[in-house]
């Protein structure tokens, strides 16, 4: 199961429409733009590649997940955290 982490702190459980892996359109819909995929241990964190340029708000929950792997950076805008096999 994947989690859609919104900037307001809410987390929503989501699944791919086809039941196995997310399409590019689905991923772009969750983050609101072009995607950037970050490897965080045994999961992917998907965020908006241009989120900082768009001045999207800080996503503290996603930043805390990414901080273990990407120090001194922050995640902005909505993000998706999912298993490695959910993105091909």
């Amino acid at each position: 199961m994947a989690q859609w982490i919104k900037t307001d702190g809410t987390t929503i459980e989501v699944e791919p429409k086809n039941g196995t892996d997310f399409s590019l359109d689905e991923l772009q819909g969750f983050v609101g733009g072009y995607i950037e995929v970050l490897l965080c241990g045994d999961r992917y964190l998907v965020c908006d590649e241009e989120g900082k340029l768009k001045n999207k708000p800080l996503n503290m929950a996603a930043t805390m997940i990414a901080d273990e792997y990407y120090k001194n950076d922050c995640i902005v805008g909505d993000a998706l955290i999912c298993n490695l096999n959910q993105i091909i």
Side-chain angles (χ1 to χ4, degrees):
M1 182 74 59
Q3 292 88 34
W4 184 15
I5 306 168
K6 304 191 86 171
T7 57
D8 66 6
T10 59
T11 301
I12 302 168
E13 298 286 327
V14 294
E15 289 190 34
K17 288 182 183 176
N18 68 9
T20 58
D21 53 90
F22 291 100
S23 70
L24 178 58
D25 286 340
E26 286 177 288
L27 295 172
Q28 289 176 331
F30 287 121
V31 303
Y34 294 119
I35 65 166
E36 179 175 359
V37 180
L38 305 172
L39 180 62
C40 294
D42 61 349
R43 300 179 294 174
Y44 284 131
L45 180 86
V46 182
C47 58
D48 184 347
E49 179 180 64
E50 298 176 328
K52 292 174 186 166
L53 294 172
K54 296 175 183 175
N55 292 317
K56 288 190 173 185
L58 175 67
N59 186 326
M60 196 57 177
T63 296
M64 289 172 46
I65 293 168
D67 187 59
E68 183 177 343
Y69 307 95
Y70 303 92
K71 300 287 184 198
N72 302 317
D73 201 0
C74 64
I75 304 298
V76 298
D78 292 348
L80 181 81
I81 187 90
C82 65
N83 297 325
L84 299 178
N85 64 349
Q86 291 181 303
I87 298 178
I88 297 176

